Amino acid sequence: MEWKTCSFCEGTIEPGCGKKYVKKDGSVMHFCSSKCEKNFKLGRVGRKVKWTNTFKRINRGQ
């Protein structure tokens, strides 16, 4: 069993949890919660949403 990383917020996903979403082009997206999945489907980018780990990592010193 391996731990996955959320494709939207970069949070860790325990084995047996989360959702897998396969796009038409064959790429696989892993989501830790329905909150991340819905934000992705709305077209939002994790780098611009303030509660994600990605945003916090990029804007650490600002």
Side-chain angles (χ1 to χ4, degrees):
M1 300 302 250
E2 71 179 85
W3 288 61
K4 304 273 187 213
T5 303
C6 180
S7 299
F8 188 76
C9 71
E10 292 187 356
T12 56
I13 305 171
E14 294 182 24
C17 296
K19 287 187 177 182
K20 184 185 289 188
Y21 178 75
V22 181
K23 297 186 348 182
K24 288 182 182 179
D25 62 356
S27 60
V28 179
M29 311 288 286
H30 297 278
F31 298 108
C32 60
S33 64
S34 61
K35 180 180 181 180
C36 291
E37 183 181 8
K38 289 174 185 175
N39 275 292
F40 173 75
K41 287 183 177 179
L42 285 171
R44 296 185 178 140
V45 181
R47 296 184 311 268
K48 296 183 180 180
V49 181
K50 292 188 177 182
W51 56 266
T52 62
N53 293 336
T54 312
F55 180 86
K56 291 176 184 176
R57 183 175 41 83
I58 291 171
N59 299 304
R60 190 176 334 181
Q62 298 175 1

